Coordinates of all heavy atoms in Angstrom, one line a residue:
M1 N 0.8 -1.2 0.0 CA 0.0 0.0 0.0 C 0.9 1.2 0.0 O 1.8 1.4 0.8 CB -0.9 0.0 1.3 CG -1.9 1.1 1.3 SD -3.0 0.7 2.6 CE -3.5 2.4 3.0
K2 N 0.6 2.1 -0.9 CA 1.4 3.3 -1.0 C 1.0 4.4 0.0 O -0.2 4.5 0.4 CB 1.4 3.9 -2.4 CG 0.1 4.5 -2.9 CD 0.2 5.0 -4.3 CE -1.2 5.5 -4.7 NZ -1.2 6.2 -6.0
P3 N 2.0 5.2 0.5 CA 1.6 6.2 1.5 C 0.8 7.3 0.9 O 0.8 7.6 -0.3 CB 3.0 6.8 2.0 CG 3.9 6.4 0.9 CD 3.4 5.2 0.2
K4 N -0.1 7.9 1.7 CA -0.9 9.0 1.3 C 0.0 10.2 0.9 O 1.0 10.5 1.6 CB -1.9 9.5 2.4 CG -3.1 8.6 2.5 CD -4.0 9.0 1.4 CE -5.4 8.3 1.7 NZ -6.2 8.5 0.5
R5 N -0.4 10.9 -0.1 CA 0.3 12.2 -0.5 C -0.7 13.3 -0.3 O -1.9 13.2 -0.7 CB 0.7 12.1 -2.0 CG 1.6 10.9 -2.3 CD 1.9 10.8 -3.8 NE 0.7 10.7 -4.6 CZ 0.5 11.2 -5.8 NH1 1.5 11.9 -6.4 NH2 -0.7 11.1 -6.4
Y6 N -0.2 14.4 0.2 CA -1.1 15.5 0.5 C -0.5 16.8 -0.2 O 0.7 16.9 -0.4 CB -1.2 15.8 2.0 CG -2.0 14.7 2.7 CD1 -1.3 13.6 3.4 CD2 -3.3 14.6 2.6 CE1 -2.0 12.6 4.0 CE2 -4.1 13.6 3.3 CZ -3.4 12.6 3.9 OH -4.1 11.7 4.6
A7 N -1.3 17.8 -0.4 CA -0.9 19.0 -1.0 C -1.5 20.2 -0.2 O -2.7 20.1 0.3 CB -1.4 19.2 -2.5
S8 N -0.7 21.2 0.1 CA -1.1 22.4 0.8 C -1.8 23.4 -0.2 O -1.7 23.2 -1.4 CB 0.0 23.0 1.5 OG 0.9 23.6 0.6
D9 N -2.4 24.4 0.4 CA -2.9 25.4 -0.5 C -1.8 26.1 -1.3 O -2.0 26.5 -2.4 CB -3.7 26.5 0.3 CG -3.0 27.1 1.5 OD1 -1.8 26.8 1.7 OD2 -3.6 27.9 2.2
K10 N -0.6 26.2 -0.7 CA 0.5 26.8 -1.4 C 0.9 25.9 -2.5 O 1.2 26.4 -3.6 CB 1.7 26.9 -0.4 CG 2.9 27.7 -0.9 CD 4.0 27.8 0.1 CE 4.1 29.2 0.6 NZ 5.3 29.4 1.5
D11 N 0.9 24.6 -2.3 CA 1.3 23.6 -3.4 C 0.3 23.8 -4.6 O 0.6 23.8 -5.7 CB 1.2 22.2 -2.9 CG 2.3 21.9 -1.9 OD1 3.4 22.5 -1.9 OD2 2.0 21.0 -1.0
L12 N -1.0 23.8 -4.2 CA -2.1 23.9 -5.2 C -2.0 25.3 -6.0 O -2.3 25.3 -7.2 CB -3.4 23.7 -4.6 CG -3.7 22.3 -4.1 CD1 -5.0 22.2 -3.4 CD2 -3.5 21.2 -5.2
S13 N -1.7 26.3 -5.2 CA -1.6 27.6 -5.9 C -0.5 27.6 -7.0 O -0.7 28.2 -8.0 CB -1.4 28.8 -4.9 OG -0.1 28.7 -4.3
R14 N 0.6 27.0 -6.7 CA 1.7 26.9 -7.7 C 1.3 25.9 -8.8 O 1.5 26.2 -10.0 CB 2.9 26.3 -7.0 CG 3.7 27.3 -6.2 CD 5.1 26.8 -5.9 NE 5.0 25.6 -5.0 CZ 5.2 25.6 -3.7 NH1 5.6 26.7 -3.1 NH2 5.1 24.5 -3.0
R15 N 0.6 24.9 -8.5 CA 0.2 23.9 -9.5 C -0.8 24.5 -10.5 O -0.7 24.2 -11.7 CB -0.5 22.7 -8.8 CG -0.9 21.6 -9.7 CD -1.6 20.5 -8.8 NE -1.8 19.3 -9.6 CZ -1.3 18.1 -9.4 NH1 -0.4 18.0 -8.4 NH2 -1.6 17.1 -10.1
Y16 N -1.7 25.4 -10.1 CA -2.7 26.0 -11.0 C -2.4 27.4 -11.3 O -3.2 28.0 -12.1 CB -4.1 25.9 -10.3 CG -4.5 24.4 -10.1 CD1 -4.7 23.9 -8.8 CD2 -4.7 23.6 -11.2 CE1 -5.1 22.6 -8.7 CE2 -5.1 22.3 -11.0 CZ -5.3 21.8 -9.8 OH -5.7 20.5 -9.6
G17 N -1.4 28.0 -10.7 CA -1.1 29.4 -11.1 C -2.2 30.4 -10.5 O -2.5 31.3 -11.2
V18 N -2.7 30.1 -9.3 CA -3.7 31.0 -8.7 C -3.2 31.4 -7.3 O -2.2 30.9 -6.8 CB -5.0 30.2 -8.6 CG1 -5.6 29.9 -10.0 CG2 -4.9 29.0 -7.8
C19 N -4.0 32.3 -6.7 CA -3.6 32.7 -5.3 C -4.0 31.5 -4.4 O -4.8 30.7 -4.7 CB -4.2 34.0 -4.9 SG -6.0 33.9 -4.6
R20 N -3.4 31.6 -3.1 CA -3.6 30.5 -2.2 C -5.1 30.4 -1.7 O -5.5 29.3 -1.3 CB -2.8 30.7 -0.9 CG -1.3 30.5 -1.2 CD -0.4 30.8 -0.1 NE -0.7 30.0 1.1 CZ -0.1 30.1 2.2 NH1 0.8 31.0 2.4 NH2 -0.4 29.3 3.2
A21 N -5.9 31.4 -1.8 CA -7.3 31.3 -1.4 C -8.2 30.6 -2.4 O -9.2 30.1 -2.1 CB -7.8 32.7 -1.2
T22 N -7.7 30.5 -3.7 CA -8.6 30.0 -4.7 C -8.9 28.5 -4.5 O -10.1 28.2 -4.6 CB -7.9 30.2 -6.1 OG1 -7.7 31.6 -6.3 CG2 -8.7 29.6 -7.2
P23 N -8.0 27.6 -4.1 CA -8.5 26.2 -3.9 C -9.5 26.1 -2.8 O -10.4 25.3 -2.8 CB -7.2 25.5 -3.5 CG -6.1 26.3 -4.1 CD -6.6 27.7 -4.1
W24 N -9.4 27.0 -1.7 CA -10.4 27.0 -0.7 C -11.7 27.5 -1.2 O -12.8 26.9 -0.9 CB -9.9 28.0 0.5 CG -8.7 27.5 1.2 CD1 -7.4 27.9 1.0 CD2 -8.7 26.5 2.2 NE1 -6.6 27.3 1.8 CE2 -7.3 26.4 2.6 CE3 -9.6 25.7 2.8 CZ2 -6.9 25.5 3.6 CZ3 -9.2 24.9 3.8 CH2 -7.9 24.8 4.2
N25 N -11.7 28.5 -2.1 CA -13.0 29.0 -2.7 C -13.6 27.9 -3.6 O -14.8 27.7 -3.6 CB -12.7 30.3 -3.4 CG -12.4 31.4 -2.5 OD1 -12.7 31.4 -1.4 ND2 -11.6 32.4 -3.1
W26 N -12.8 27.2 -4.4 CA -13.3 26.1 -5.2 C -13.9 25.0 -4.4 O -15.0 24.6 -4.7 CB -12.2 25.5 -6.0 CG -11.6 26.4 -7.1 CD1 -12.2 27.4 -7.8 CD2 -10.3 26.2 -7.8 NE1 -11.4 28.0 -8.7 CE2 -10.2 27.2 -8.8 CE3 -9.3 25.4 -7.6 CZ2 -9.1 27.4 -9.6 CZ3 -8.2 25.5 -8.4 CH2 -8.1 26.5 -9.4
A27 N -13.3 24.7 -3.3 CA -13.8 23.6 -2.4 C -15.1 24.0 -1.8 O -16.1 23.3 -1.7 CB -12.8 23.2 -1.3
K28 N -15.2 25.3 -1.3 CA -16.4 25.8 -0.7 C -17.5 25.9 -1.7 O -18.7 25.6 -1.4 CB -16.1 27.2 -0.2 CG -17.2 27.8 0.6 CD -16.9 29.2 1.1 CE -18.0 29.8 1.9 NZ -17.7 31.1 2.4
A29 N -17.2 26.2 -3.0 CA -18.2 26.2 -4.0 C -18.6 24.8 -4.5 O -19.6 24.6 -5.3 CB -17.7 27.0 -5.2
G30 N -17.9 23.8 -4.1 CA -18.2 22.4 -4.5 C -17.7 22.0 -5.8 O -18.1 21.0 -6.4
T31 N -16.7 22.8 -6.4 CA -16.2 22.5 -7.7 C -14.8 21.9 -7.6 O -14.1 21.7 -8.6 CB -16.1 23.7 -8.6 OG1 -15.3 24.7 -7.9 CG2 -17.5 24.3 -8.8
F32 N -14.3 21.5 -6.4 CA -13.0 21.0 -6.2 C -13.1 20.1 -4.9 O -13.9 20.4 -4.1 CB -12.0 22.2 -5.9 CG -10.6 21.8 -6.1 CD1 -10.0 21.5 -7.3 CD2 -9.7 21.9 -5.0 CE1 -8.7 21.2 -7.4 CE2 -8.4 21.6 -5.1 CZ -7.9 21.2 -6.3
P33 N -12.2 19.1 -4.9 CA -12.3 18.2 -3.7 C -12.1 19.0 -2.4 O -11.4 20.0 -2.3 CB -11.1 17.3 -3.9 CG -10.8 17.3 -5.3 CD -11.2 18.7 -5.8
R34 N -12.7 18.6 -1.3 CA -12.6 19.2 0.0 C -11.3 18.8 0.6 O -10.9 17.7 0.5 CB -13.8 18.8 0.9 CG -15.1 19.4 0.4 CD -16.1 19.3 1.6 NE -17.2 20.2 1.4 CZ -17.2 21.4 1.8 NH1 -16.1 22.0 2.4 NH2 -18.2 22.2 1.7
P35 N -10.7 19.7 1.4 CA -9.5 19.4 2.1 C -9.8 18.5 3.3 O -10.9 18.5 3.8 CB -8.9 20.7 2.5 CG -10.1 21.6 2.6 CD -11.0 21.1 1.5
K36 N -8.8 17.8 3.8 CA -8.9 16.9 5.0 C -8.1 17.5 6.1 O -7.0 18.0 5.9 CB -8.3 15.5 4.7 CG -8.8 14.9 3.4 CD -10.2 14.3 3.5 CE -10.6 13.6 2.3 NZ -11.8 14.0 1.7
K37 N -8.6 17.5 7.3 CA -7.9 17.9 8.5 C -7.0 16.7 8.9 O -7.5 15.7 9.3 CB -8.8 18.3 9.6 CG -8.2 18.9 10.8 CD -9.1 20.0 11.3 CE -8.5 20.7 12.4 NZ -7.7 21.9 12.0
I38 N -5.7 16.9 8.8 CA -4.7 15.7 9.1 C -4.0 15.9 10.4 O -3.2 15.1 10.8 CB -3.8 15.5 7.9 CG1 -2.9 16.7 7.7 CG2 -4.5 15.1 6.7 CD1 -1.8 16.4 6.7
G39 N -4.2 17.0 11.1 CA -3.6 17.3 12.4 C -4.3 18.5 13.0 O -5.2 19.1 12.4
P40 N -4.0 18.8 14.3 CA -4.7 19.8 15.0 C -4.7 21.2 14.3 O -5.6 21.9 14.3 CB -4.0 19.9 16.3 CG -3.0 18.9 16.4 CD -2.9 18.2 15.1
N41 N -3.6 21.5 13.6 CA -3.4 22.8 12.9 C -3.0 22.6 11.5 O -2.4 23.5 10.9 CB -2.4 23.6 13.6 CG -2.8 24.0 15.0 OD1 -3.9 24.4 15.3 ND2 -1.9 23.7 16.0
T42 N -3.4 21.4 10.9 CA -3.0 21.1 9.5 C -4.1 20.6 8.7 O -4.7 19.6 9.1 CB -1.8 20.1 9.6 OG1 -0.8 20.5 10.5 CG2 -1.2 19.9 8.2
T43 N -4.4 21.3 7.6 CA -5.4 20.9 6.6 C -4.7 20.8 5.3 O -4.0 21.7 4.9 CB -6.6 21.9 6.6 OG1 -7.1 22.0 7.9 CG2 -7.7 21.4 5.7
R44 N -5.0 19.6 4.6 CA -4.3 19.4 3.3 C -5.3 18.7 2.4 O -6.3 18.1 2.8 CB -3.1 18.5 3.4 CG -2.0 19.1 4.3 CD -1.3 20.2 3.6 NE -0.1 20.7 4.3 CZ -0.1 21.7 5.1 NH1 -1.2 22.4 5.3 NH2 1.0 22.1 5.7
W45 N -5.0 18.8 1.1 CA -5.8 18.1 0.1 C -5.2 16.8 -0.2 O -3.9 16.7 -0.3 CB -5.9 18.9 -1.2 CG -6.9 20.0 -1.2 CD1 -8.2 19.9 -1.8 CD2 -6.8 21.3 -0.7 NE1 -8.9 21.1 -1.6 CE2 -8.0 21.9 -0.9 CE3 -5.8 22.0 0.0 CZ2 -8.3 23.2 -0.5 CZ3 -6.1 23.3 0.4 CH2 -7.3 23.9 0.2
D46 N -6.0 15.7 -0.3 CA -5.5 14.4 -0.7 C -5.1 14.5 -2.2 O -6.0 14.8 -3.1 CB -6.6 13.4 -0.5 CG -6.2 12.0 -0.9 OD1 -5.4 11.8 -1.8 OD2 -6.7 11.0 -0.2
L47 N -3.9 14.3 -2.5 CA -3.4 14.5 -3.9 C -4.0 13.5 -4.9 O -4.2 13.8 -6.0 CB -1.8 14.4 -3.9 CG -1.1 15.1 -5.1 CD1 -1.7 16.5 -5.4 CD2 0.4 15.1 -4.9
D48 N -4.3 12.3 -4.4 CA -5.0 11.3 -5.2 C -6.4 11.9 -5.7 O -6.8 11.7 -6.8 CB -5.2 10.0 -4.5 CG -3.8 9.3 -4.4 OD1 -2.9 9.5 -5.2 OD2 -3.7 8.5 -3.4
E49 N -7.1 12.5 -4.7 CA -8.4 13.1 -5.0 C -8.3 14.2 -6.0 O -9.1 14.4 -6.9 CB -9.1 13.6 -3.8 CG -9.6 12.5 -2.9 CD -10.4 13.0 -1.7 OE1 -10.8 14.2 -1.7 OE2 -10.5 12.2 -0.7
V50 N -7.3 15.0 -5.8 CA -7.0 16.2 -6.7 C -6.7 15.7 -8.1 O -7.3 16.2 -9.1 CB -5.9 17.1 -6.2 CG1 -5.4 18.1 -7.2 CG2 -6.3 17.7 -4.9
E51 N -5.9 14.7 -8.3 CA -5.5 14.1 -9.6 C -6.7 13.5 -10.2 O -6.9 13.6 -11.5 CB -4.3 13.2 -9.5 CG -3.0 13.9 -9.1 CD -1.9 13.0 -8.8 OE1 -2.0 11.8 -8.6 OE2 -0.7 13.6 -8.8
R52 N -7.5 12.8 -9.4 CA -8.8 12.2 -10.0 C -9.7 13.3 -10.5 O -10.3 13.1 -11.6 CB -9.4 11.3 -8.9 CG -10.2 10.2 -9.3 CD -10.7 9.2 -8.3 NE -10.6 9.6 -6.9 CZ -9.7 9.2 -6.0 NH1 -8.7 8.4 -6.4 NH2 -9.7 9.6 -4.8
H53 N -9.8 14.3 -9.7 CA -10.7 15.5 -10.2 C -10.1 16.1 -11.5 O -10.9 16.4 -12.4 CB -10.7 16.5 -9.1 CG -11.4 17.8 -9.4 ND1 -12.7 17.9 -9.5 CD2 -10.9 19.0 -9.8 CE1 -13.1 19.1 -9.9 NE2 -12.0 19.8 -10.1
E54 N -8.8 16.2 -11.6 CA -8.2 16.8 -12.8 C -8.5 15.9 -14.0 O -8.9 16.4 -15.1 CB -6.7 16.9 -12.7 CG -6.2 18.0 -11.8 CD -4.7 18.0 -11.6 OE1 -4.0 17.0 -12.0 OE2 -4.3 18.9 -10.9
A55 N -8.5 14.6 -13.8 CA -8.7 13.6 -14.9 C -10.2 13.7 -15.3 O -10.5 13.7 -16.5 CB -8.4 12.2 -14.4
E56 N -11.1 13.9 -14.3 CA -12.5 14.0 -14.7 C -12.8 15.3 -15.4 O -13.7 15.4 -16.2 CB -13.4 14.0 -13.4 CG -13.4 12.6 -12.7 CD -14.0 12.7 -11.3 OE1 -14.4 13.8 -10.9 OE2 -14.0 11.6 -10.7
Q57 N -12.0 16.4 -15.1 CA -12.2 17.7 -15.7 C -11.5 17.8 -17.0 O -11.6 18.8 -17.7 CB -11.8 18.8 -14.8 CG -12.5 18.8 -13.5 CD -14.0 19.0 -13.6 OE1 -14.4 19.9 -14.3 NE2 -14.8 18.2 -13.0
G58 N -10.6 16.8 -17.3 CA -9.8 16.9 -18.5 C -8.6 17.8 -18.4 O -8.2 18.3 -19.4
G59 N -8.1 17.9 -17.2 CA -6.9 18.8 -17.0 C -7.0 19.7 -15.9 O -7.7 19.4 -14.9
A60 N -6.4 20.8 -16.0 CA -6.3 21.8 -14.8 C -7.7 22.4 -14.6 O -8.6 22.4 -15.5 CB -5.3 22.9 -15.1
Q61 N -7.9 23.0 -13.4 CA -9.2 23.6 -13.0 C -9.6 24.7 -14.0 O -8.9 25.5 -14.4 CB -9.0 24.1 -11.6 CG -10.2 24.8 -11.0 CD -11.3 23.8 -10.6 OE1 -11.0 22.7 -10.4 NE2 -12.4 24.4 -10.3

């Protein structure tokens, strides 16, 4: 079993060329996977879910 891979808002902002708030706004609007709370002060996106979403959308957001 492969280890989980996670992406921060900073990682996603670089990936899509948007500001750090944009992935949060997409998730809130329901057009992007929701982030997961992985620690008391840490929230990240499951990279497998993000890549699956990209494949369904035919590429970048």
Side-chain angles (χ1 to χ4, degrees):
M1 187 171 152
K2 65 180 182 176
K4 279 284 192 188
R5 300 175 306 144
Y6 293 100
S8 67
D9 55 1
K10 190 181 248 186
D11 297 331
L12 294 175
S13 71
R14 281 192 299 256
R15 185 179 187 115
Y16 297 114
V18 296
C19 72
R20 289 175 62 182
T22 300
W24 293 100
N25 293 334
W26 289 339
K28 187 176 179 182
T31 60
F32 196 68
R34 290 194 159 278
K36 312 280 186 234
K37 190 142 183 91
I38 62 171
N41 298 310
T42 308
T43 304
R44 298 288 185 265
W45 278 262
D46 181 325
L47 202 47
D48 291 333
E49 288 182 19
V50 170
E51 290 172 347
R52 211 172 11 260
H53 174 77
E54 288 175 354
E56 290 169 1
Q57 300 302 310
Q61 181 76 13

